[in-house]
Amino acid sequence: MFDPRTVPVAGRDAHLPVVPLAALQASALRRRFAEPPDWSPELRTEPSFSSRAPSPASVLVPLVMRETLTVLLTHRTSHLSSHSGQVAFPGGKVDPEDTDAVATALREAQEEIGLESRHVEVLGTMPTYTTGSAFVVTPVVALVNEAMVIEANPHEVAQVFEVPLPFLMNPANHRRHQVPWEGRVREWLSMPYHDGQMEHFIWGATAGMLRNLYRFLQAH
């Protein structure tokens, strides 16, 4: 099985500007989504490794309103059919009864981690990100009340953890990887975070969507 941790680091992006802490406050994030800048996402599509038709999906990007905002993430269980064992946002495929991407993200967050929508303040959506497994993912960014109660669904989620938002919005923590793959070079980002007990290896689509959030918040 492919282990992204074994792929050497080709570079880090410490030369890029950090998103100022003032821009990572809840009030600033509300303003940014209410009046978005003219910007373009850096990463939109991964090289495909699936022959199936594209499938719409949605994830919740939950920003927990602690003294320093955090991003809530999950470790997917190892037996899932897609992206098993990886760090991910709560989310999944669009169901027929879902009215829009926001409805999908909120439903999936409730099913995966027990997050009730009354604790969620949706700020807005980001441009879609197409994974190599042919999911066309809409990230839904939201503020989450720290009074939330989390109860992970053991069939889908092995662990729930939080990463400080300033850590993820500092490109010095964004690492670039390259590996030969089917006659060409495959590239991706990783943002490993050590919480004092273990390393959470954030990479692939999750890192790509976080990188787009960085570009959105850093844009002028």
Side-chain angles (χ1 to χ4, degrees):
M1 178 179 292
F2 173 72
D3 183 355
R5 291 176 176 84
T6 65
V7 178
V9 175
R12 298 174 185 266
D13 284 345
H15 62 286
L16 295 175
V18 176
V19 177
L21 288 178
L24 301 179
Q25 306 300 314
S27 57
L29 292 169
R30 291 187 184 104
R31 290 193 299 270
R32 172 61 51 132
F33 276 90
E35 299 179 6
D38 183 16
W39 75 292
S40 297
E42 180 178 344
L43 304 169
R44 292 296 299 263
T45 305
E46 296 177 351
S48 176
F49 54 80
S50 174
S51 58
R52 66 180 182 80
S55 178
S58 183
V59 298
L60 189 69
V61 182
L63 308 178
V64 184
M65 296 174 65
R66 307 198 186 280
E67 184 174 353
T68 296
L69 266 65
T70 64
V71 180
L72 187 149
L73 293 160
T74 73
H75 282 279
R76 292 169 61 83
T77 54
S78 58
H79 65 267
L80 292 174
S81 59
S82 62
H83 305 283
S84 62
Q86 294 185 15
V87 170
F89 297 114
K93 291 188 293 186
V94 172
D95 279 358
E97 64 270 20
D98 294 336
T99 55
D100 55 21
V102 171
T104 300
L106 294 176
R107 174 184 56 75
E108 287 283 347
Q110 170 81 53
E111 293 175 0
E112 289 187 10
I113 61 173
L115 179 59
E116 297 179 6
S117 59
R118 64 189 177 94
H119 291 303
V120 180
E121 175 191 343
V122 173
L123 296 177
T125 61
M126 301 284 287
T128 58
Y129 182 101
T130 302
T131 69
S133 52
F135 288 105
V136 183
V137 183
T138 299
V140 177
V141 182
L143 296 171
V144 177
N145 191 319
E146 66 176 344
M148 65 179 179
V149 176
I150 295 299
E151 185 175 350
N153 178 343
H155 297 291
E156 298 187 56
V157 175
Q159 184 183 10
V160 179
F161 66 100
E162 297 176 30
V163 181
L165 181 59
F167 175 90
L168 295 168
M169 295 299 102
N170 181 351
N173 299 317
H174 299 181
R175 310 191 314 180
R176 294 185 175 276
H177 301 260
Q178 297 178 341
V179 66
W181 182 71
E182 293 190 352
R184 55 181 171 173
V185 176
R186 182 181 177 187
E187 300 182 359
W188 72 85
L189 292 171
S190 71
M191 305 170 185
Y193 174 71
H194 203 290
D195 63 8
Q197 295 183 319
M198 68 175 292
E199 182 183 79
H200 304 280
F201 195 78
I202 305 164
W203 76 291
T206 302
M209 287 182 271
L210 286 168
R211 176 64 166 225
N212 287 343
L213 179 61
Y214 161 77
R215 290 297 190 186
F216 174 69
L217 296 180
Q218 192 272 325
H220 299 292

